[in-house]
Amino acid sequence: MTKAYKQNQIDPSEFEKLFLNDVPMLDVRAPVEFTKGAFPASTNVPLMDDIQRQKVGVCYKQKGQEAAIALGHQLVCGELKAERIAQWKGYISKYPEGVLYCFRGGLRSRTVQSWLSEASVEYPLIKGGYKALRQYLIESMMELAQKKNFVIIGGRTGTRKTDLIVGIENSLDLEGRANHRGSSFGRRVGGQPSVIDYENQLSIDLLKIQHRFSTLYLEDEGVTVGSCSVPEPLRDQIKSSPIVLVEATVDERVENILRDYVLTLSEEYLVDDGLKGAENYREAMFSSLSRIKKRLGGERYAALFRLMELAFN
């Protein structure tokens, strides 16, 4: 495979195509690095596990690069090395059009590429690694956010703003990508992505619609959607762009909130974990209520707590 890439590596001029085409990415960093941040099309098949990486890092600081490289080869050798190569080959057989990367495009990705080459498998690596890809997405977000015209969709909870956003092709779904409805009771089954994963995904979304539309729509959000921080270039647009207010009657809002936060959300919990899911939903609702206790005040909080207890009993 793929001598089409210069020196069997991919430079920044090709990064946009990688993200536009959802090219599979073999991430050979340690699991702890992958958990902190990666890309939607990436799969973690590490060269070293977390403990091995830590040992090599300590060795590098104390004894230098050559000693660290030697230790790395000692830690991943023999049967373990053969197992790693088999895992990479399995991935590559499934995704022959993919690429590989480590953190900086240095020793780890070159080692993996070399070992694969010895096994008669050629696979291109990312020049600059994860760090270069991440920086590219950060810069793209800043540049594209400044070039586009934004319209902000605002309104009270229950006015179906998110449904409107989802139905517009030239929009960025801040809540959908955060797996959170944005309100105090907005947590959903499955948890939220890391802040870095969230930013990466939104940057890729923006790249994919940049050539097709001059105007983009965003829902009016605060600094965060749950635990995910809205990227600063998008926050700036929310503050400065024209806003369209969506209105609904109180009865309509009640029906919409009942559907989203009770019927649909409780069903998500039940599907996720059966009878235990019902208890998880109950805990999530009480936890959400407790987070707005100060805002409600003691008396109103106590009244709502009692009502919620009655609803669940």
Side-chain angles (χ1 to χ4, degrees):
M1 152 77 205
T2 190
K3 293 296 185 181
Y5 294 106
K6 184 179 180 181
Q7 298 176 349
N8 218 14
Q9 68 177 14
I10 299 171
D11 63 37
S13 67
E14 298 175 276
F15 286 178
E16 181 180 31
K17 288 189 293 185
L18 295 180
F19 291 119
L20 291 180
N21 297 316
D22 296 319
V23 172
M25 297 182 178
L26 175 60
D27 185 322
V28 300
R29 297 175 300 158
V32 66
E33 296 172 282
F34 185 82
T35 301
K36 289 179 180 178
F39 307 107
S42 63
T43 301
N44 188 218
V45 189
L47 171 62
M48 295 182 288
D49 62 28
D50 294 336
I51 294 175
Q52 291 165 339
R53 171 181 172 268
Q54 183 180 32
K55 289 179 178 179
V56 170
V58 170
C59 181
Y60 181 87
K61 291 179 181 178
Q62 294 178 346
K63 299 180 181 180
Q65 186 182 73
E66 289 188 10
I69 293 173
L71 177 59
H73 282 279
Q74 291 174 20
L75 293 172
V76 186
C77 63
E79 290 184 6
L80 181 57
K81 176 181 176 180
E83 180 183 321
R84 295 279 199 271
I85 293 173
Q87 290 174 329
W88 297 326
K89 289 176 69 176
Y91 178 90
I92 292 167
S93 67
K94 189 174 181 180
Y95 303 110
E97 75 281 15
V99 299
L100 72 89
Y101 66 82
C102 63
F103 184 66
R104 293 187 179 87
L107 290 173
R108 284 182 288 178
S109 58
R110 291 202 299 269
T111 296
V112 172
Q113 191 181 57
S114 175
W115 288 358
L116 285 170
S117 184
E118 290 170 3
S120 301
V121 178
E122 302 297 331
Y123 213 56
L125 61 82
I126 298 292
K127 184 178 181 180
Y130 168 84
K131 189 174 182 181
L133 289 168
R134 167 74 174 153
Q135 187 60 37
Y136 171 78
L137 289 179
I138 291 172
E139 292 173 357
S140 295
M141 170 75 76
M142 294 178 62
E143 179 183 350
L144 293 174
Q146 292 173 357
K147 287 182 177 179
K148 299 298 179 182
N149 299 314
F150 283 81
V151 175
I152 310 305
I153 306 297
R156 293 180 175 181
T157 301
T159 54
R160 310 306 293 273
K161 303 183 299 296
T162 299
D163 287 355
L164 183 58
I165 285 288
V166 171
I168 300 174
E169 191 175 3
N170 49 321
S171 67
L172 293 178
D173 186 2
L174 300 179
E175 291 186 2
R177 290 307 191 188
N179 195 37
H180 196 284
R181 287 196 170 91
S183 65
S184 299
F185 287 81
R187 287 191 297 175
R188 306 190 71 169
V189 173
Q192 293 192 256
S194 71
V195 173
I196 292 175
D197 285 355
Y198 182 57
E199 292 174 349
N200 287 343
Q201 180 64 75
L202 289 173
S203 294
I204 294 169
D205 290 343
L206 195 52
L207 278 172
K208 288 182 176 181
I209 61 179
Q210 64 166 311
H211 298 301
R212 302 169 57 205
F213 304 101
S214 60
T215 299
L216 300 177
Y217 292 83
L218 287 177
E219 187 170 346
D220 187 15
E221 299 288 353
V223 175
T224 61
V225 181
S227 62
C228 292
S229 298
V230 177
E232 186 174 357
L234 299 183
R235 291 206 307 269
D236 290 343
Q237 290 294 345
I238 290 172
K239 293 176 184 177
S240 61
S241 299
I243 185 167
V244 174
L245 288 176
V246 181
E247 296 182 342
T249 67
V250 172
D251 288 343
E252 288 171 336
R253 290 177 60 210
V254 168
E255 286 298 317
N256 293 335
I257 290 170
L258 175 64
R259 189 200 71 165
D260 290 341
Y261 292 86
V262 179
L263 302 178
T264 299
L265 187 57
S266 62
E267 182 64 24
E268 288 177 4
Y269 275 91
L270 288 171
V271 170
D272 181 63
D273 206 3
L275 293 177
K276 187 177 179 181
E279 181 60 28
N280 291 340
Y281 173 67
R282 184 182 189 278
E283 291 179 4
M285 290 297 100
F286 278 104
S287 175
S288 295
L289 183 63
S290 70
R291 284 198 295 274
I292 58 173
K293 182 176 181 178
K294 289 184 179 180
R295 195 186 317 168
L296 291 170
E299 187 176 337
R300 281 197 296 178
Y301 171 77
L304 288 170
F305 187 91
R306 288 192 295 271
L307 287 172
M308 191 174 285
E309 279 191 317
L310 289 172
F312 278 107
N313 291 332

